[in-house]
C-alpha cells in the first residue's frame, strides 16, 4: 500500500531479513529487530517474515513466518554414520496444498554442520535427507518444499534416492556403500521403486547455479570444503560423470551440482529447482504482507554491491518498490559505496557498536538498538 502513515496511528511493519551468516539466523534477526522497534513504537503491528534461501535456518524461517507451522520429529541416519534426532516442518493446509506442505531441510538432516570439524568426504551421505522426505510423504502432505543448502557430502544424491526407493548396485549386483565411496562404484541404477511425487508437487530451494560436473561442478567447487583433496576431486568428478549416464536428468542443468549432486538427483526424481529466496518469499506470503504494510525492514550480514544480485534484501526491496512501500536496511556491515538510495534509512551494526568485533560479540544487543534507531528515525516521518 502507499505509505501515508504518521505517528498519529499505528503502522504495519514487516520484518523480512536474511540471516547474518555465521552470527545469527534470520528468524532471530527478525524477532530482535521487531522487539527493538516495539520498544519505541509499542502500538505498531509487527509482522515477522524472515527470509531463507534453502540452507541452514530455512525451517526456522518458515516456522516464524507461517502461523500454525508444526515441528515434526524424525530420527534419521546422520552424515557421520549414526542416527540423529531431527525434524521437518508441517505447514497448514492451503487451497493449493489441502493436506499441508512438508518443509524438509538438508542442512539439519545431512548437513555439514552436523559433522563439526570431522569432515568425511568419502563416507558422508544424503540418506538422512531422504529419510525425512519419506517421513513427510508418509504423513500424507500434498506438497514438499526441500531446502538443499549446506550439504556434508558429494554422493550425487544417491543416498537420498535410495531412501526414496531407488536401488544402486555395483560389481556383482551388490548394493553400493554410502557416500562418494559408494557412488564411485555404481554400475547400475534401478528407479522403478522410487516414491511418487506428492499431488501438488515438489519445490526445491536452490541457491547455486553450478552444473553437476566439469570445472565448475559439484566436486571442484564444493568438494574442498567437504574434505576432498585435489586427487579426490578428479576421481569424484569422474564418478559423477558416470552417474549422470544412469539417471534421467541433464547434468548441465542449472543447480544440478548443488548439495554435492543432490540437485541432480532431485531433477532425476522430477522435482524442479527454483531460486531459493524468491520461492520462500512466495510461500510465506511476503508480497501480500508488503502490499498491506507501511514499512519493511530487511537486512543481511554484509551489504555490498553483490547484494543487489538476487539476494534476499534485493528481492524484498523490489517487491516493496512495486507496492510503493518504504524499506529500511539493517546489516552487520554496509559498504557505503553500494547503491543505498533505495532505502529510507540504513543501520550498520558495526557503526552502531563502534567496531566489527563489538558487533559480532553481541549481535542481539546491536540488532535491538538498530530496531530502536529505525523506529525513532522513520517513526517521525510521514
Amino acid at each position: 500500500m502507499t505509505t501515508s502513515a504518521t505517528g498519529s496511528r499505528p503502522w504495519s511493519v514487516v520484518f523480512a531479513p536474511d540471516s547474518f551468516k555465521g552470527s545469527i539466523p534470520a528468524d532471530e534477526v527478525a524477532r530482535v529487530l521487531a522487539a527493538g522497534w516495539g520498544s519505541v513504537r509499542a502500538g505498531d503491528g509487527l509482522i515477522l517474515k524472515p527470509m531463507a534461501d534453502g540452507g541452514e535456518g530455512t525451517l526456522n524461517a518458515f516456522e516464524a513466518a507461517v502461523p500454525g507451522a508444526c515441528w515434526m520429529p524424525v530420527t534419521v541416519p546422520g552424515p557421520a554414520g549414526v542416527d540423529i534426532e531431527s525434524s521437518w516442518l508441517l505447514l497448514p493446509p492451503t487451497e493449493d496444498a489441502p493436506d499441508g506442505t512438508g518443509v524438509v531441510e538438508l542442512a539439519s538432516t545431512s548437513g555439514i554442520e552436523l559433522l563439526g570439524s570431522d569432515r568425511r568426504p568419502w563416507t558422508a551421505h544424503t540418506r538422512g535427507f531422504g529419510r525425512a522426505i519419506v517421513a513427510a510423504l508418509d504423513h500424507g502432505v500434498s506438497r514438499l518444499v526441500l531446502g538443499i543448502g549446506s550439504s556434508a557430502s558429494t554422493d550425487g544424491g544417491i543416498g537420498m534416492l535410495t531412501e526414496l526407493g531407488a536401488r544402486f548396485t555395483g560389481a556383482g549386483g551388490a548394493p553400493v556403500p554410502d557416500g562418494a565411496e559408494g557412488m564411485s562404484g555404481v554400475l547400475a541404477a534401478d528407479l522403478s521403486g522410487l516414491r511418487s511425487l506428492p499431488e501438488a508437487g515438489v519445490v526445491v530451494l536452490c541457491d547455486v547455479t553450478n552444473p553437476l560436473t566439469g570445472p565448475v561442478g559439484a566436486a571442484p567447487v564444493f568438494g574442498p570444503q567437504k574434505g576432498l583433496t585435489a586427487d579426490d576431486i578428479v576421481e569424484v568428478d569422474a564418478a559423477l560423470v558416470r552417474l549422470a549416464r544412469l539417471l534421467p536428468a541433464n547434468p548441465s542443468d542449472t543447480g544440478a551440482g548443488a548439495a554435492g549432486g543432490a540437485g541432480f538427483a532431485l531433477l532425476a526424481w522430477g522435482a524442479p529447482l527454483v531460486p531459493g529466496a524468491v520461492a520462500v518469499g512466495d510461500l510465506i506470503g511476503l508480497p501480500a504482507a508488503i502490499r498491506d504494510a507501511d514499512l519493511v525492514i530487511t537486512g543481511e550480514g554484509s551489504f555490498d554491491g553483490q547484494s543487489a544480485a538476487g539476494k534476499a534484501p534485493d528481492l524484498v526491496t523490489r517487491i516493496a518498490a512495486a507496492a510503493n512501500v518504504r524499506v529500511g536496511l539493517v546489516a552487520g556491515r554496509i559498504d557505503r559505496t553500494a547503491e543505498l538510495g533505495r532505502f529510507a534509512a540504513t543501520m550498520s551494526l558495526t557503526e552502531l557498536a563502534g567496531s566489527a568485533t563489538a558487533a559480532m560479540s553481541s549481535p542481539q544487543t546491536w540488532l535491538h538498538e538498530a530496531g530502536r534507531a529505525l523506529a525513532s528515525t522513520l517513526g517521525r516521518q510521514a
Side-chain angles (χ1 to χ4, degrees), residues 30 43 56 64 77 133 167 182 185 227 284 288 294 353:
E56 186 178 9
I133 294 172
R167 188 166 184 267
I284 66 175
D294 296 297

Side-chain angles (χ1 to χ4, degrees), residues 17-26 29 33 299-301 330-332 349 363 367:
D18 202 348
S19 65
F20 284 36
K21 295 192 185 301
S23 177
I24 183 169
V29 174
L33 283 173
E300 63 180 350
V330 178
L349 303 192
L367 282 166

Side-chain angles (χ1 to χ4, degrees), residues 300-321:
E300 63 180 350
S302 178
F303 187 89
D304 54 28
Q306 294 184 5
S307 298
K311 291 188 177 181
D314 176 58
L315 172 67
V316 172
T317 304
R318 286 188 283 110
I319 294 172

